[in-house]
Amino acid sequence: MAFSRLDIRRRNRGERTLVTLAGDIGPATTPLLRAALEQCLLDGVTVIDIDLTTVGACDARGLDVLLSASRRAGRVHASLRLHHPCAQITQLLAVTGSASLLLAAPVSPVPPAVPGDLMSTVTGMPEDPVRRADQPVLKEAIRLRRLTRWQVEGMREDIADLAAASVTGTPCDAYHDRGDFLRRLAVMAHRPGFALLVAETTVLVGCAFGFPVGPDGPGRRGFDGTLQETIQRFTSRARFVVLTLVVAHPHAQHRDIAHRLQQRLLTELHSSLGVTLLHPADLAGQAAFSSWGWQNLGEVVGLPGPVAPCVLSLPAEGLSPVRR
């Protein structure tokens, strides 16, 4: 089989879209298919129906693209379903055990698209005049949810993408390294009490994670003990949450996302105080946290590390500001 050509058409119906494929799905055509499905999610689609009536064959790599797109859709509360597969695709789904994950129920089948209803093609998507292609769609209500450790592992690359996108082109970019971010996330995910929240529309738009430190922890030794003593001197509080906050591309709702994430995380971890540490030269980062309600306690000497970090604190909503 040549797998040399695949035509892709979309028909949008509100937040639902019908993707009609014609040709074969194989090594030469899967990049087009992957890009088209990713664009659906970026455009805010919550239901992706894929019409396979005129698809003659699909190989294992093509199936992997469909499964990956289905998993990504599920993470943002969207869905992807296949309709009218040929015998070869039906057999491939059955052999791999993917039928229940991808095939739509036989009732109410999706009709093939008609040429007059086509809104766009994968090579000629019309751009929204009020939104750049790299901006997340925020037309839906923002949903917050806490991830399990298993879900964190499955979304770690998306979270790293979000972290990188949030600082690209800003002075904070100098203090962000993707590999270092992933390593720190992996270490923190195994801390007792670790919690990670995400903010979503149909794409990931915000993230906050952290872990509690307090007198009921492993003891006043090492970094935790030194930080706990320092924060207690500043605030008279022995329990707090070490928190890192990430927000995606700047947009009108970014302060609301940050506010909701950080307060929800404090509630989830039953703490009245959040603490974060920033590099003293990261003035842009300090300004961002200050705009989200954090109080800069200044550089603190004595904490482990090559430089004395700036320590910022955030009281839970409804409590008086921390004392300096």
Side-chain angles (χ1 to χ4, degrees):
M1 286 176 280
F3 299 117
S4 59
R5 179 176 177 81
L6 182 69
D7 293 325
I8 303 175
R9 300 287 187 272
R10 273 182 62 181
R11 182 176 67 181
N12 299 324
R13 307 179 228 176
E15 294 178 356
R16 183 168 185 161
T17 193
L18 174 62
V19 178
T20 303
L21 307 180
D24 294 320
I25 304 174
T29 58
T30 49
L32 286 176
L33 179 59
R34 180 183 293 107
L37 298 179
E38 288 179 353
Q39 188 62 53
C40 288
L41 295 175
L42 289 174
D43 289 343
V45 171
T46 57
V47 179
I48 305 173
D49 293 306
I50 302 180
D51 181 15
L52 301 173
T53 303
T54 50
V55 172
C58 175
D59 69 354
R61 187 176 301 182
L63 176 61
D64 183 62
V65 169
L66 294 170
L67 286 169
S68 296
S70 177
R71 287 192 295 267
R72 186 175 179 86
R75 292 200 296 263
V76 294
H77 307 292
S79 62
L80 180 149
R81 287 293 180 264
L82 306 182
H83 303 264
H84 315 304
C86 67
Q88 185 269 331
I89 296 178
T90 300
Q91 183 179 13
L92 179 63
L93 293 171
V95 169
T96 59
S98 306
S100 61
L101 300 175
L102 294 175
L103 280 184
V107 295
S108 302
V110 177
V114 293
D117 290 332
L118 296 179
M119 298 294 293
S120 59
T121 68
V122 70
T123 55
M125 301 293 296
E127 293 187 1
D128 186 336
V130 298
R131 180 179 67 87
R132 296 196 317 270
D134 61 345
Q135 289 180 320
V137 178
L138 297 177
K139 60 185 177 183
E140 289 190 347
I142 296 171
R143 299 177 293 273
L144 269 60
R145 65 185 177 107
R146 182 172 176 174
L147 303 185
T148 65
R149 279 195 176 92
W150 180 85
Q151 290 171 324
V152 171
E153 179 62 27
M155 289 188 66
R156 62 194 299 270
E157 295 296 335
D158 293 334
I159 294 169
D161 289 342
L162 174 68
S166 69
V167 297
T168 298
T170 73
C172 301
D173 202 356
Y175 306 100
H176 178 86
D177 176 82
R178 182 187 178 87
D180 180 61
F181 175 86
L182 287 170
R183 285 189 292 273
R184 287 189 289 112
L185 176 58
V187 171
M188 290 182 66
H190 288 88
R191 296 288 301 247
F194 171 81
L196 186 146
L197 302 178
V198 293
E200 305 165 315
T201 54
T202 53
V203 293
L204 188 64
V205 296
C207 173
F209 56 85
F211 58 90
V213 172
D216 52 348
R220 287 176 173 266
R221 291 186 301 174
F223 177 81
D224 285 6
T226 304
L227 182 61
Q228 184 182 344
E229 292 173 357
T230 300
I231 297 303
Q232 193 165 8
R233 286 201 305 270
F234 276 112
T235 68
S236 299
R237 299 181 193 177
R239 177 178 170 80
F240 52 91
V241 170
V242 176
L243 183 148
T244 297
L245 181 67
V246 178
V247 176
H249 303 275
H251 47 70
Q253 296 177 348
H254 77 287
R255 290 187 180 179
D256 180 59
I257 293 173
H259 174 79
R260 291 170 60 185
L261 280 169
Q262 62 197 21
Q263 292 297 332
R264 173 75 172 272
L265 187 62
L266 292 179
T267 300
E268 290 273 343
L269 295 180
H270 310 290
S271 178
S272 61
L273 181 70
V275 170
T276 193
L277 283 69
L278 295 178
H279 194 286
D282 185 6
L283 301 181
Q286 294 173 43
F289 274 83
S290 294
S291 73
W292 298 330
W294 292 72
Q295 181 180 2
N296 194 331
L297 303 179
E299 297 177 28
V300 177
V301 179
L303 293 176
V307 297
C310 279
V311 177
L312 289 81
S313 64
L314 175 77
E317 229 169 33
L319 298 176
S320 58
V322 296
R323 297 189 298 275
R324 297 196 65 169

